[in-house]
Amino acid sequence: MGDQLVIAGRGFRSRLIVGTGKYRSLPEMARAHEASGAEIVTVAVRRVNLTDRSFGQKGESLLDYIDRTKLFILPNTAGCYTADEAIRAARLGREAGLSEWVKLEVIGDEQTLFPETEELVRATKTLVKEGFIVLPYTNDDLIVARKLVDAGAAAVMPLGAPIGSGMGIQNLANLRILRERITEVPVIVDAGVGTASDAAIAMELGADGVLMNTAIAGAQDAVLMAEAMRAAVEAGRKAFLAGRIAKKLYATASSPAAGVVR
């Protein structure tokens, strides 16, 4: 498969996952998706009526602007505050023909949108038993991540910062620990990215991928930002694989002194 993002045995060339919300128009969203190079897009099951043809402009549906021959739809349970709500939303997404995959969100606080981890683990266990491929949005806590993996999650998706905040990666140490200790499934940074350097940092820390929505959709030029994010994720991945030099307190000459005629 080469250097692909592999989730539940399925390979993706792009390590950037993008959302479908907050764009100024559906055509802009489609252009940004194309520019991002992403192969996975998330769709909120609860917040979008997937069968209502009056959604958007001129009676068009969100799905009219997602080329399903190129893009894999990942339903998400955004807006759910209990395990039962999230499980119901995931089932609706599957019944609507979207996917048996689900980006699982169970929110515990309205202001921070931090996850309710106990309910998240419970929902993961139930959905895995029902045959879902579960990708849970979680905090950057190793213990919770381990519980999710043990529950059968196909990836863990720790936040970099609160959803939509644009603050960038706030706890580099925790993400490094997660990357070192969670080796069975991909670690995908989800939420908080604001600009291209944030995405590059996440990848340089060893994240297997980055998921974002607001950083692209809310930019003054969403399509140009999508291009920037694509390049940043690719550059960060290459830097991680290349292996950065060690940090030192003192300088080291770029040109070695050995053999220099004085």
Side-chain angles (χ1 to χ4, degrees), residues 136-236:
Y137 157 72
T138 183
N139 56 24
D140 57 8
D141 184 295
L142 172 64
I143 309 308
V144 174
R146 174 55 57 199
K147 290 180 179 179
L148 290 168
V149 172
D150 292 344
V156 290
M157 307 181 75
L159 56 83
I163 293 173
S165 68
M167 292 195 299
I169 311 303
Q170 294 298 294
N171 197 329
L172 277 68
N174 274 18
L175 289 181
R176 285 182 61 191
I177 290 170
L178 281 174
R179 175 62 286 165
E180 291 182 7
R181 299 289 299 278
I182 301 296
T183 58
E184 305 94 321
V185 300
V187 174
I188 301 170
V189 172
D190 178 12
V193 169
T195 191
S197 58
D198 301 330
I201 288 171
M203 297 303 295
E204 289 171 5
L205 290 171
D208 294 290
V210 180
L211 190 154
M212 65 184 72
N213 182 70
T214 306
I216 294 177
Q220 292 182 26
D221 187 329
V223 176
L224 187 58
M225 183 61 80
E227 292 179 5
M229 292 300 188
R230 177 179 186 169
V233 168
E234 291 174 354

